[in-house]
Amino acid sequence: MSELPILQAVSIQQPHATAITAWGKPVDNRRTLTLHRGPIALHAASNWDQRGARSHMLTNAFARHTTSKAYADAVYRDGFDRDDEHLFPRGAIVGLAEITGCHRCTGACSPWAIAGRWHWQLANVVPLPQPIR
């Protein structure tokens, strides 16, 4: 019997994990550098980034990817429903991706950038059909 390769994972707060797996967010802003390049599992953390959830980048990305204008209007008015487990699963692997690069961001490298943070560049993101707890 052959051994299965070990796949590293990164935990990402919601709603950012959903933004990466479903709304085209190509980066994760981190406080630390990574030297890893290649495949990685995307784990939706149990915690919620309230400040990030109010980001216009996230609400606009959601609006571009939803089929419900009423839901998009509600998000603009009231914010995301952090208890929506279908949209924002937590404590589970939600996708796979490749880390293709990492650099300290000046804030000008991407609309998703946070100046001064490490910008983990993600490619080939594949959402899982069902989260794996």
Side-chain angles (χ1 to χ4, degrees), residues 19-32:
I20 290 168
T21 58
W23 306 336
K25 183 180 179 193
V27 299
D28 191 32
N29 294 287
R30 294 272 165 167
R31 288 190 171 103
T32 58

Side-chain angles (χ1 to χ4, degrees), residues 15-16 49-56 58-59 80:
H16 303 286
D49 179 11
Q50 186 61 40
R51 190 181 73 177
R54 292 189 303 266
S55 156
H56 291 294
L58 284 174
T59 54
F80 289 113

Side-chain angles (χ1 to χ4, degrees), residues 70-101:
Y71 195 7
D73 290 344
V75 166
Y76 279 123
R77 184 183 63 248
D78 305 325
F80 289 113
D81 178 1
R82 67 186 288 164
D83 296 322
D84 183 343
E85 275 289 316
H86 177 72
L87 188 58
F88 303 112
R90 292 195 239 168
I93 302 294
V94 295
L96 302 172
E98 289 182 52
I99 296 178
T100 58

Side-chain angles (χ1 to χ4, degrees), residues 39-74:
I40 194 153
L42 303 173
H43 174 262
S46 295
N47 52 345
W48 177 266
D49 179 11
Q50 186 61 40
R51 190 181 73 177
R54 292 189 303 266
S55 156
H56 291 294
M57 285 299 297
L58 284 174
T59 54
N60 290 340
F62 169 74
R64 284 192 306 274
H65 288 87
T66 187
T67 58
S68 170
K69 182 176 178 343
Y71 195 7
D73 290 344

